[in-house]
């Protein structure tokens, strides 16, 4: 009975948020109470059990008073911690620094709350001694403990997580709900019901609790949109409710069939709510009939990254191939024109030194048919250059590189009309080392910078944007990440430097749609200018933490969530390519799309990036589509350090003292031969890839001896077999170590 009381009180926030999400307050209260009841009852049982030991410490008469004081302490401390967390969220974007600061200052805040609680208790004792009634003091103490929690909760009650697009709101709501339940449990655990009331509660409690659970279950099963509304509101009850729904997921499609789940076929992973619908096949793939059976559908919810009125299925979200400039698919049975590349013809250059693709295009038509019209003339010699950085996207999880899930159809379309580099490697798995060469043209340790962990790039750098500007380009950039900012020197040389991280937090909210909107606005603003344009767009969303996006679902788990982020980023890339294709400069735009670094998903133990240099951490997508150049694939290793010289080469800009080598000749078809080795480094790792062999050095200063690994990527692409101890590879091992030592010598 006490558990029902605490669960009902703790479920009030859930009921308010559920009402905001489209269902009724009473339904939300019923479901919230039912979901929280087992948890709260268990907490009460444990607190009563702990009380027997606690009584031995504080004495038989002090137990209840001590519990009330602890509850009051929690109630005073929580708003202090909430205010500190809100302040850190608003002022810092470094999670490690924010966590450490919260730990230190939070401890001080809890200690200060203990002192305030001591003063309040002393004041209560004095008032009691003067004759103030105890129940008034109890009400005042409860108000002091609970009102700040309600005040902290109020902003969260006004918005559901799915309607604000802020998934962090659900987490914050769960914390607040848990704090309310904790304080209420502490208060109730000290309540003495008395003999008569206790007997009634003992008789009625279990049947009443069972009635609440059965009624809530029946209501959920008969009205599935209620479950959607509860989850949309967020909070502790919603989190537990979602866990129950996932427990009913039998086919692994990420959606259950009970507790509000809308999976209409638990034996078929291709049928679930939100799945792509195939018109006319008589099969309800997206379970829309189940979702709205017997009730009007819930109002459409705006989600970050989706414009109002946008389709939310993956099939509807994918624009046609022709919109991005890729050739339309040929009808069944038709023969498409083949483009024959003049590989032996070197790339020509205009007077300014910019690359002019040297492509021989010939149409091959079946006998007896009319040949297709000649290919269009070569694009203007000084093309616009669009550089798109996909943060934390690994190559082997993109469908453009053969991944089983269709995560990157728009990148694949671009690759179909450009050159796909099959083995492109990031210069590092650390964000700082991976990004800075795009700006300075030099690896981070060879660029002018300060010595902070997230360094400021100094004015002594002759940046890529400055060089392009001197070559006559209009320069612009759009950043999605807080480090890539004016304050850190990234705006040097850009006529326009736009950011979106002030509009949405890049590690908590979707930013890709905002970045693409600004990029499109910049391109449209420059469209009528005579100068060529250089635009750098940085898309951050695939970086942890992973968010869910409407119409994108690959199942449950970390890998599926990561794949969903790649698909979301690819969707934003498609929107940008569509805008370019619609614009007046479509035929004169060179497009370079690449991953900054990869992401480990546990293949070699660690998850994330920044430490290891295995393939999953540094092998990234790279596609270059130059105006007029025929498509192709390049199978040999290249490095993302080659991107800056490629941009300068395409734009005819000066490239002295820039690391790497231009890939423009490969992108035009004039070069296909393999190049020299590529290198990658983190703070404690170094790697060199030469052909199919990869040397990985793990520095171990404490043991005074590095660990050396050698892999044959041709026969062992997952790097599971170390060959460094085999005699037949001794010469290769020595050769690669010499190359790595020469590359890392101070003279280089």
């Amino acid at each position: 009975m006490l558990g029902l009381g605490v669960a009902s009180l703790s479920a009030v926030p859930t009921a308010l948020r559920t009402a905001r999400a489209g269902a009724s307050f009473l339904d939300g209260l019923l479901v919230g109470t039912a979901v929280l009841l087992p948890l709260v009852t268990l907490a009460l049982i444990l607190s009563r059990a702990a009380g027997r030991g606690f009584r031995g410490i504080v004495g038989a008469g002090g137990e209840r008073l001590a519990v009330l004081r602890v509850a009051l302490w929690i109630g005073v401390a929580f708003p202090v911690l909430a205010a500190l967390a809100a302040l850190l969220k608003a002022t810092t974007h470094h999670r490690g620094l924010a966590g450490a600061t919260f730990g230190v200052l939070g401890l001080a805040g809890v200690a200060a709350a203990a002192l305030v609680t001591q003063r309040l208790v002393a004041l209560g004792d004095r008032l009691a001694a003067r004759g103030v009634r105890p129940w008034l003091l109890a009400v005042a103490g409860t108000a002091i403990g609970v009102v700040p929690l309600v005040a902290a909760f109020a902003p969260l009650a006004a918005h559901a997580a799915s309607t604000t697009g802020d998934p962090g709101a659900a987490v914050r709501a769960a914390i607040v709900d848990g704090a309310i339940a904790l304080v209420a449990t502490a208060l109730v655990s000290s309540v003495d019901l008395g003999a008569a009331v206790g007997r009634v509660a003992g008789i009625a409690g279990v049947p009443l609790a069972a009635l609440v659970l059965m009624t809530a279950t029946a209501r959920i099963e008969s009205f599935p949109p209620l479950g959607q509304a509860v989850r949309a509101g967020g909070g502790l009850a919603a989190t537990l409710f979602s866990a129950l729904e996932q427990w009913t997921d039998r086919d692994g499609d990420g959606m259950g069939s009970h507790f509000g789940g809308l999976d209409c076929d638990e034996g078929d992973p291709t049928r679930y709510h939100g799945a792509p619908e195939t018109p006319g096949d008589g099969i309800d793939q997206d379970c829309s009939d189940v979702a709205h059976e017997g009730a009007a559908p819930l109002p459409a919810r705006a989600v970050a990254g989706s414009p109002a009125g946008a389709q939310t299925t993956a099939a509807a979200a994918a624009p046609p191939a022709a919109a991005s400039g890729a050739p339309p698919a040929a009808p069944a049975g038709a023969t498409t024109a083949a483009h024959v590349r003049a590989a032996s013809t070197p790339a020509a250059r205009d007077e300014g030194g910019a690359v002019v693709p040297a492509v021989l295009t010939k149409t091959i038509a079946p006998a007896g048919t009319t040949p297709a019209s000649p290919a269009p003339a070569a694009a203007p010699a000084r093309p616009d250059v669009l550089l798109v950085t996909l943060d934390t996207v690994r190559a082997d999880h993109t469908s453009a590189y053969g991944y089983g899930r269709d995560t990157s159809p728009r990148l694949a379309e671009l690759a179909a009309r450009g050159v796909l580099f099959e083995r492109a490697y990031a210069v590092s798995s650390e964000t700082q080392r991976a990004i800075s060469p795009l700006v300075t043209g030099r690896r981070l340790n060879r660029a002018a910078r300060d010595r902070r962990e997230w360094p400021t790039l100094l004015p002594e750098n002759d940046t890529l944007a400055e060089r392009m500007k001197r070559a006559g380009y209009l320069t612009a950039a759009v950043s999605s990440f807080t480090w890539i900012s004016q304050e850190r020197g990234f705006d040097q040389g850009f006529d326009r430097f736009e950011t979106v991280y002030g509009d949405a937090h890049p590690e908590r909210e979707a930013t890709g749609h905002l970045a693409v909107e600004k990029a499109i606005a910049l391109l449209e603003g420059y469209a009528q200018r005579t100068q060529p344009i250089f635009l750098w767009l940085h898309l951050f969303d695939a970086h942890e933490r992973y968010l869910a996006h409407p119409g994108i679902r690959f199942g449950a788990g970390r890998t599926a969530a990561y794949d969903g982020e790649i698909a979301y980023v690819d969707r934003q890339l498609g929107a940008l390519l569509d805008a370019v294709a619609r614009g007046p400069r479509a035929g004169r735009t060179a497009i370079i799309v690449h991953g900054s670094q990869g992401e480990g998903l546990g293949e070699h133990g660690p998850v994330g990036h920044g430490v290891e240099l295995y393939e999953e951490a540094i092998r990234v997508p790279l596609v270059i589509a130059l105006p007029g150049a025929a498509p192709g694939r390049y199978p040999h290793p290249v490095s993302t350090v080659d991107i800056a010289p490629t941009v300068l080469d395409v734009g005819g800009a000066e490239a002295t003292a820039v690391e790497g080598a231009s890939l423009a000749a490969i992108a035009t078809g004039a070069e296909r031969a393999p190049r020299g080795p590529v290198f990658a480094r983190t703070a404690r790792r170094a790697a060199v890839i030469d052909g199919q062999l990869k040397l990985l050095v793990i520095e171990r200063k404490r043991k005074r001896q590095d660990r050396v690994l050698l892999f044959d990527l041709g026969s062992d692409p997952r790097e599971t077999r170390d060959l460094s101890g085999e005699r037949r590879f001794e010469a290769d091992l020595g050769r690669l170590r010499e190359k790595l030592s020469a590359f890392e010598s101070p003279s280089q």
Side-chain angles (χ1 to χ4, degrees), residues 11-66:
V12 171
T14 297
L16 292 172
R17 288 191 293 262
T18 301
R20 293 275 183 176
S24 72
F25 176 87
L26 291 178
D27 277 336
L29 185 64
L30 174 65
V31 173
T33 301
V35 172
L36 293 175
L37 178 58
L39 181 66
V40 169
T41 304
L42 178 62
L44 283 169
I45 293 172
L46 292 176
S47 67
R48 297 262 177 165
R52 290 193 291 269
F54 190 63
R55 191 178 299 116
I57 299 175
V58 301
E63 175 191 359
R64 187 178 307 163
L65 183 59

Side-chain angles (χ1 to χ4, degrees), residues 320-329 337 339 341 357 359 361 376 379 383-384 386 388 400 408-421 523 573-583 585-593 622-633 666-669 672:
S324 67
H339 297 281
R341 188 189 316 276
V359 179
T361 305
D384 293 343
L386 177 58
V388 182
S408 61
R410 305 310 305 273
L411 182 63
E413 290 173 11
L414 182 67
R417 61 187 177 95
V419 172
L420 182 143
F421 291 79
L523 292 174
L573 172 64
L576 179 64
L577 296 178
D578 291 344
V580 171
R582 291 191 303 266
R585 304 164 76 107
R588 56 173 294 187
T589 302
I591 302 173
I592 304 173
V593 180
L622 174 59
V623 174
I624 301 178
L626 299 182
R633 300 174 75 93
I666 299 174
T668 61
R672 279 292 182 266

Side-chain angles (χ1 to χ4, degrees), residues 93 479-482 499-506 509 511 514 518:
H93 300 288
S479 167
S480 303
F481 184 39
T482 50
T499 63
V500 299
Y501 48 76
D503 303 321
H505 195 295
E509 303 169 74
T511 57
L514 300 175
K518 290 199 174 185

Side-chain angles (χ1 to χ4, degrees), residues 432-453:
Q432 306 94 310
R433 295 175 187 261
I435 295 292
S436 59
L438 302 174
V439 180
T440 65
R442 300 179 65 81
R443 297 174 192 263
L444 182 62
N445 63 316
R446 298 169 186 173
R449 72 197 191 285
D450 64 17
R451 299 297 172 180
R452 288 187 286 182
E453 179 185 3

Side-chain angles (χ1 to χ4, degrees), residues 192-203:
D192 186 3
L193 296 177
V197 177
R199 281 194 298 271
V200 174
I203 295 173

Side-chain angles (χ1 to χ4, degrees), residues 355-452:
V355 172
V356 180
V359 179
L360 174 63
T361 305
K362 179 174 69 175
T363 302
I364 303 176
T369 62
T370 304
S373 57
R382 296 178 62 78
D384 293 343
V385 180
L386 177 58
L387 173 61
V388 182
T389 299
L390 311 179
D391 204 299
T392 326
V393 173
R394 53 190 275 185
D396 64 344
H397 274 246
T398 64
S399 47
Y401 281 75
Y403 189 46
R405 291 171 171 168
D406 193 18
T407 55
S408 61
R410 305 310 305 273
L411 182 63
E413 290 173 11
L414 182 67
R417 61 187 177 95
V419 172
L420 182 143
F421 291 79
E422 296 178 356
R423 300 180 62 201
Y425 288 91
V427 297
S428 178
S429 64
E430 293 177 352
T431 301
Q432 306 94 310
R433 295 175 187 261
I435 295 292
S436 59
L438 302 174
V439 180
T440 65
R442 300 179 65 81
R443 297 174 192 263
L444 182 62
N445 63 316
R446 298 169 186 173
R449 72 197 191 285
D450 64 17
R451 299 297 172 180
R452 288 187 286 182

Side-chain angles (χ1 to χ4, degrees), residues 5-202:
V6 174
S8 299
L9 174 64
S10 303
V12 171
T14 297
L16 292 172
R17 288 191 293 262
T18 301
R20 293 275 183 176
S24 72
F25 176 87
L26 291 178
D27 277 336
L29 185 64
L30 174 65
V31 173
T33 301
V35 172
L36 293 175
L37 178 58
L39 181 66
V40 169
T41 304
L42 178 62
L44 283 169
I45 293 172
L46 292 176
S47 67
R48 297 262 177 165
R52 290 193 291 269
F54 190 63
R55 191 178 299 116
I57 299 175
V58 301
E63 175 191 359
R64 187 178 307 163
L65 183 59
V67 170
L68 290 173
R69 289 176 177 177
V70 170
L72 182 60
W73 182 19
I74 294 172
V76 173
F78 183 83
V80 174
L81 297 177
L84 175 60
L87 178 64
L88 290 172
K89 177 190 174 185
T91 57
T92 180
H93 300 288
H94 192 290
R95 286 181 291 177
L97 177 62
T101 305
F102 183 82
V104 174
L105 297 183
L107 181 61
V110 170
L115 295 176
V116 172
T117 302
Q118 182 184 15
R119 296 295 179 89
L120 290 174
V121 170
L123 176 62
D125 291 341
R126 289 196 298 270
L127 293 175
R130 294 179 181 180
V132 177
R133 295 184 178 182
W135 69 268
L136 291 175
L137 296 176
V139 170
T142 302
I144 294 173
V146 174
V147 169
L149 298 178
V150 175
F153 157 76
L156 299 175
H159 301 285
S162 64
T163 59
T164 61
D166 179 11
V171 177
R172 296 193 297 273
I175 294 173
V176 174
D177 292 355
I180 294 174
L182 179 63
V183 173
T185 300
L187 291 171
V188 168
S189 64
S190 65
V191 171
D192 186 3
L193 296 177
V197 177
R199 281 194 298 271
V200 174

